[in-house]
């Protein structure tokens, strides 16, 4: 006889976003319909096709580690992550010594560090010989210019190692980087680790800052970003007819996942239950989504099936909703097909309209938003929604938050290359 | 009954050759894959040798050869290894059900090809020849390849593989440093176990044969400058070890649910028996990898396999010629006791980083199937380390082999393969 599956709940959350340096205030800003997008000041982006972003403007968060020797060369991504993880851990009211430290692990969807773009650009310019880079000269100059610790901090896995040591979470430790789906993937895999009894507690989430000259350049070259330079706050407008690309943001979000019976035994406050996880690959093109959202649909179906639910049990979808022409159309088509008649009364909103796209950290903050929506019985709005687009006719919760009972929320995250992840979160007790 | 996972296909491209058999036979016969760096001019850089994959043409391994222009070398190594593995397993034309066919790849940080970014940087200098962001934002961008970013995203290793083999199932990309290859394979086995897929292409690929990567490794104090490493490798565990050799490669295994493999008459190399991962929390390079993390990963893998330490017949170590090799030696002794045959392939191959652990998993599966474990090239004793490092290939019956892969960031991973019965 098969044993009942171990259930996983969320008992702590933490976040650093462009809206606020914690999860609750981020949520309040989103409910109030505010935009956290503004002109980029982290570096001179004034001549780039896009001059604005979802920059974390609370420099205290970044400076908090200034005296910390070990972190002296760490990037913003690492610092955001440590703040968010510390918040989540404190929020869970775990002390850390009530359980074998090897039963607590870390699974992040974490991006690379920002690196030293200006130095790199300078060396490249100096060693360019008209046809190519003089590699011998490049190596000579780079050895002098680069700092070994700064380079080490660019590795995506450093963050998960630091969190493990600082919070003494010495169980399974992994990092994935499936583009914009990464932290939803991390949550799904972390939950799978608990279900399988390889750990009882997992710190799971994401962190990323591609808000540096080469990151901005990369996305601008793909023409993936909005160029609404005259009105940054109105740039992220998912599902609206006038959408012209996503808004690049930075930040981190962390969730403490915990095995249910253990969490209940210690009297933990429970935000909600992690119900299901779906992951698929488009297997189509690295440049485009599959036009019918083939594997986006199967990811949603897989998450719903994994949760033991039917599509009509889903009360709210936090969409990937990037505000690009293609994503919002394909996602709408996919939702209509998966949910059929139920799609007509199923609220679907994109909180990227308020906080932009946190890339590898996007899924984790959106999971927290889903849990808060369930807790507060409030649907977060899609702001900047002004003009309907042909065929995009779901209930996008336009512009104003509204009351609704939510027992089950689904969060979609789709990434470049055709990474599709969908996770289902539910009210606890149901 | 839990679903069992077996290895039914193997593909490797490495400094020892462009197929798994060449890699395996090269290791068994004691070949060294480390040679003078030919990929680019290194000038007066103190390190002269590395493990290059020679005569490698990525497009030869592609169904859609045009896709090559979208692929950094790491990605090319990934699709090449996947191509060999898929052919070996008989799934080159796809799986019976594409939605039950997934991909799990380990990847490293992929630096831009220098020429590509330099074309933009060179036109972005001001009158004083200083790189100027205001120019870069306009003139610089105009000189860059529009799809530049997509060539360097780590998940493109798995995305391109999914496209080539129409694998529409679960798809993940593990970026846990040098532990990534073993973690990607272990995670893929978990996906099959929990019934979200029947077949997975799982492995890793990475190159450090890149000017910036060499600089990074050198600054971190990882690279050996030993003159004889082109013949004797980097002497893992040895008293005269002096660092690792940068290297590159790709290794992919086809993992398959046992019943699925049986139903289609697939040849089975070995079974995935157990998997464990942990974190020692070590970060700063001067501090050696924490033995606790290594020990914990091995113990978890043994427990997960339902085995005892005595069941493990051989160990493929993470050791690569770094000071930390000693920490692993003690952890192996603590986890398994003395007398286990320990081999370390990173001496002969250089450190293929993410791909190193994935290649070792593949070689371990072949060792079980063929009854021979490769030796450790260039080993000159282990000082007072309490383990039995084998210098020559050793034939025998291998019931279970444990493979270690640890990252510089503290992640540890161990996986156990066993004879399929």
């Amino acid at each position: 006889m098969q044993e009942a599956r171990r259930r996983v709940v969320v008992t702590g959350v933490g976040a650093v976003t462009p809206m606020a340096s914690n999860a609750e205030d981020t949520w309040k800003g989103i409910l109030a319909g505010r935009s956290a997008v503004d002109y980029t000041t982290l570096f001179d982006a004034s001549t780039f096709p896009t001059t604005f972003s979802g920059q974390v403007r609370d420099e205290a968060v970044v400076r908090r580690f200034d005296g910390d020797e070990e972190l002296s060369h760490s990037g913003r991504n690492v610092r955001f992550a440590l703040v968010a993880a510390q918040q989540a851990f404190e929020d869970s009211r775990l002390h850390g010594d009530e359980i074998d430290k090897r039963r607590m692990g870390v699974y992040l969807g974490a991006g690379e560090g920002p690196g030293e773009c200006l130095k790199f650009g300078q060396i490249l310019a100096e060693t360019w010989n008209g046809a190519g880079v003089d590699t011998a000269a490049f190596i000579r100059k780079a050895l002098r210019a680069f700092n070994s610790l700064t380079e080490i901090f660019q590795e995506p896995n450093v963050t998960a190692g630091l969190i493990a040591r600082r919070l003494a979470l010495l169980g399974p430790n992994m990092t994935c980087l499936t583009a914009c789906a990464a932290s939803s993937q991390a949550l799904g895999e972390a939950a799978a680790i608990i279900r399988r009894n390889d750990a009882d507690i997992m710190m799971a989430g994401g962190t990323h800052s591609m808000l540096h000259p080469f990151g901005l350049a990369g996305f601008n070259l793909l023409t993936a970003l909005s160029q609404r330079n005259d009105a940054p706050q109105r740039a992220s407008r998912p599902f609206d007819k006038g959408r012209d690309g996503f808004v690049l943001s930075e930040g981190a979000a962390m969730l403490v996942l915990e095995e249910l019976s253990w969490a209940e035994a210690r009297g933990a406050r429970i935000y909600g239950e992690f119900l299901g996880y779906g992951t698929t690959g488009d297997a189509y093109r690295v440049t485009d989504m599959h036009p019918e959202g083939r594997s986006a649909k199967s990811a949603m179906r897989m998450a719903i099936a994994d949760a033991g639910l039917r599509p009509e049990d889903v009360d709210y979808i936090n969409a990937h909703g990037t505000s690009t022409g293609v994503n919002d159309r394909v996602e709408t088509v996919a939702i209509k097909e998966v949910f059929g008649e139920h799609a007509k009364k199923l609220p679907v909103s994109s909180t990227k309209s308020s906080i932009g796209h946190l890339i590898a950290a996007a899924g984790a903050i959106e999971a927290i938003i889903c849990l808060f929506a369930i807790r507060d019985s409030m649907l977060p709005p899609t702001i900047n929604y002004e003009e309907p687009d042909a065929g995009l006719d779901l209930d996008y919760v336009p512009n104003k938050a509204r009351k609704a009972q939510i027992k089950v929320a689904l969060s979609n995250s789709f990434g470049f290359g055709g990474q599709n992840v969908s996770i289902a979160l539910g009210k606890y007790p149901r | 009954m839990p679903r069992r996972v077996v290895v039914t296909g193997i593909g490797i491209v490495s400094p020892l050759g462009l197929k798994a058999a060449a890699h395996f036979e090269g290791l068994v016969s004691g070949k060294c894959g480390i040679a003078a760096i030919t990929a680019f001019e290194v000038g007066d850089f103190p390190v002269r040798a590395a493990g290059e994959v020679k005569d490698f043409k990525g497009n030869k391994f592609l169904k859609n050869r045009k896709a090559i222009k979208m692929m950094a070398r790491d990605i090319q190594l990934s699709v090449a290894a996947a191509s060999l593995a898929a052919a070996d397993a008989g799934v080159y034309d796809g799986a019976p059900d594409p939605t039950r066919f997934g991909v799990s790849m380990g990847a490293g940080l992929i630096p831009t090809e220098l020429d590509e970014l330099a074309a933009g940087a060179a036109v972005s200098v001001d009158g004083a020849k200083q790189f100027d962001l205001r120019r870069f934002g306009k003139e610089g961008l105009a000189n860059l390849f529009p799809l530049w970013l997509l060539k360097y995203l780590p998940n493109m290793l798995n995305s391109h593989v999914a496209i080539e083999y129409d694998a529409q199932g679960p798809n993940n990309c593990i970026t846990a440093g040098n532990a990534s290859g073993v973690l990607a394979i272990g995670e893929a086995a978990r996906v099959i176990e929990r019934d979200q897929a029947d077949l997975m292409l799982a492995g890793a690929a990475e190159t450090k044969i890149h000017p910036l990567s060499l600089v990074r490794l050198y600054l971190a104090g990882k690279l050996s400058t030993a003159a004889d490493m082109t013949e004797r490798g980097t002497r893992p565990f040895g008293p005269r070890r002096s660092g690792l050799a940068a290297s590159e490669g790709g290794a992919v295994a086809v993992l398959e649910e046992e019943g699925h493999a049986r139903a289609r008459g697939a040849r089975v190399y070995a079974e995935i028996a157990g998997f464990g991962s942990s974190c020692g929390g070590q970060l700063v390079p001067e501090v050696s990898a924490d033995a606790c993390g290594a020990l914990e990963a091995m113990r978890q893998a043994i427990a997960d396999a339902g085995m005892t330490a005595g069941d493990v017949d051989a160990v493929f170590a993470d050791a690569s010629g770094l000071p930390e090799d000693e920490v692993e030696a003690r952890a192996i002794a603590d986890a398994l006791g003395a007398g286990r045959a320990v081999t370390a392939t990173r001496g002969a191959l250089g450190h293929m980083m993410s791909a190193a652990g994935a290649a070792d998993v593949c070689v371990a599966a072949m060792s079980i199937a063929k009854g021979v474990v490769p030796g450790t090239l260039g080993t000159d004793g282990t000082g007072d380390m309490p383990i039995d490092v084998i210098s020559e290939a050793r034939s025998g019956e291998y019931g279970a082999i444990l493979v270690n892969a640890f990252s510089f960031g503290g992640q540890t991973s161990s996986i156990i393969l066993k004879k399929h019965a």
Side-chain angles (χ1 to χ4, degrees), chain B residues 52-324:
Chain B
E52 294 180 341
V53 178
K54 293 164 198 85
D55 305 318
F56 178 70
K57 298 249 183 306
N59 56 3
K60 283 192 182 167
F61 297 90
L62 283 174
K63 294 178 184 177
N64 172 18
R65 294 187 175 202
K66 280 189 197 157
I68 197 79
K69 67 175 189 298
M70 296 289 297
M71 298 180 182
R73 189 167 169 96
D74 302 59
I75 304 169
Q76 296 182 24
L77 293 165
S78 166
V79 294
S83 159
L84 295 168
D88 189 44
V91 295
Y92 189 79
D93 297 320
D97 178 355
T99 66
R100 298 280 296 174
F101 188 16
V103 185
S104 174
M105 292 296 294
L109 191 61
I110 310 177
T112 179
E113 285 167 24
L114 296 183
D115 289 355
E116 212 160 21
L117 181 57
V123 298
S124 306
V125 290
D126 62 19
K129 297 201 171 163
Q130 294 302 297
F131 177 69
D132 175 13
L133 272 188
R134 295 177 64 88
R135 291 171 198 263
F136 181 72
K138 272 200 296 226
E139 292 92 329
L141 261 58
N143 277 275
L144 294 178
F145 174 47
L147 304 177
W148 179 55
L149 181 71
L150 298 184
K151 264 181 84 170
Y152 304 101
L153 294 180
N155 68 301
M156 289 299 159
L157 273 71
N158 33 298
S159 289
H160 281 284
V161 168
I163 292 166
E164 281 279 304
Y165 301 99
D166 193 26
Q168 300 172 29
N171 196 297
N172 200 355
C173 174
I174 306 292
T175 47
N178 299 338
S180 299
V182 165
L183 291 175
I185 292 171
E187 284 282 273
R190 296 293 192 238
V191 170
I192 294 174
E193 276 177 19
R194 67 180 187 239
D195 204 8
Q196 286 188 323
D198 298 316
L199 266 168
M200 296 286 289
L201 286 160
E206 190 164 356
T207 179
K208 289 295 180 196
I209 315 297
H210 181 292
L212 183 56
S213 303
L214 290 183
V215 165
R216 284 175 171 156
L217 286 169
Y218 185 82
L219 287 173
K222 302 290 185 195
L223 293 181
S224 171
T225 55
D228 68 349
M229 70 178 170
T230 52
E231 284 147 38
R232 307 295 294 160
T234 57
R235 304 178 188 275
F237 294 118
R240 287 192 284 153
R241 68 189 187 279
S242 60
L244 56 80
S247 185
E248 60 179 356
V252 171
V254 175
L255 303 191
E256 191 163 358
E257 192 272 321
E258 205 253 356
H260 192 272
R262 194 162 2 95
R264 68 180 189 93
R267 177 230 3 230
V268 173
Y269 286 94
E271 179 172 348
I272 305 285
F275 169 49
S277 85
S278 178
C279 187
Q282 167 261 349
L283 170 71
V284 181
E286 297 81 59
V287 181
S288 67
D290 189 339
C292 298
L295 185 58
E296 178 57 20
M298 286 187 267
R299 281 187 176 154
Q300 275 183 27
I302 292 166
D304 187 43
M307 291 180 178
T308 60
D311 296 323
V312 176
D313 299 311
V315 176
F316 281 70
D318 179 70
S320 59
L322 291 169
E324 296 91 310

Side-chain angles (χ1 to χ4, degrees), chain A residues 131-152:
Chain A
V133 168
D134 175 347
T135 53
F138 175 87
I139 290 171
R140 201 162 49 239
K141 285 172 185 276
L143 282 173
R144 277 204 303 270
F146 288 138
N147 175 284
S148 101
L149 286 171
T150 308
E151 297 304 303
I152 286 168

Side-chain angles (χ1 to χ4, degrees), chain A residues 216-425:
Chain A
L216 179 58
F219 285 122
N220 261 155
L221 284 164
L222 290 171
T223 62
L225 299 181
S226 168
Q227 300 185 15
R228 197 177 288 264
N229 290 322
D230 57 345
Q233 285 80 21
R234 296 175 56 225
S236 186
R237 42 198 314 116
F239 307 107
D240 179 81
K241 189 175 182 184
R243 69 191 183 278
D244 72 329
F246 74 83
V247 172
L248 178 60
S249 294
E250 58 175 358
M254 299 287 164
L255 294 84
V256 174
L257 304 186
E258 202 165 337
E259 192 274 323
L260 171 63
S261 64
W262 159 258
E264 287 195 316
R266 75 174 180 93
R269 181 251 339 261
I270 293 172
Y271 284 103
E273 182 171 3
F274 187 97
L275 294 172
Y277 165 47
T279 154
T280 63
D282 261 8
Y284 178 63
R285 288 179 189 163
V286 296
T287 45
D288 302 293
M289 291 180 83
H290 186 274
E292 279 105 49
R294 179 176 67 188
S295 300
K297 288 184 284 198
S298 55
M300 285 188 267
R301 289 184 173 126
M302 194 186 286
I304 293 165
D306 187 41
L309 299 171
R310 297 160 306 163
E312 48 274 32
D313 295 324
V314 175
D315 302 308
Y316 165 64
I317 295 179
N318 188 291
H320 186 54
T322 52
S323 181
T324 61
V326 173
N327 177 85
D328 298 357
R329 180 166 40 75
V330 171
E331 189 171 12
T332 297
V333 167
I335 289 170
K336 282 186 185 177
E337 198 165 317
V338 169
F339 292 90
E341 274 299 300
H342 183 57
K344 290 180 181 161
K345 44 186 192 294
L346 174 61
V348 175
S349 72
S350 169
T351 44
K352 289 189 179 77
S353 57
S354 281
I355 59 173
H357 190 343
L358 276 67
I359 312 297
I365 187 63
E366 288 160 19
I368 294 173
I369 289 164
C370 285
L371 291 166
F372 285 169
I374 291 167
R375 179 193 66 185
D376 296 348
S377 301
M378 285 299 286
L379 295 167
T382 303
I383 65 166
N384 295 320
Y385 185 83
E386 291 171 350
E387 190 181 349
D389 194 2
L392 275 62
D393 51 358
L394 299 172
D395 170 8
Y396 299 115
V397 196
N399 302 314
K400 287 232 177 316
R402 65 172 200 256
K403 284 292 251 187
Q405 291 301 313
I406 307 165
K407 284 190 181 143
V408 176
L410 198 70
S411 178
N412 285 337
S413 298
F414 308 140
F416 280 114
Q419 309 285 158
N420 308 287
V421 175
S422 192
I423 59 175
L425 298 152

Side-chain angles (χ1 to χ4, degrees), chain A residues 117-137:
Chain A
C117 297
L118 293 178
K119 272 189 196 171
F120 192 21
Q122 180 67 31
I123 299 171
L124 287 174
E126 287 174 9
T127 55
W128 175 255
N129 65 17
V133 168
D134 175 347
T135 53

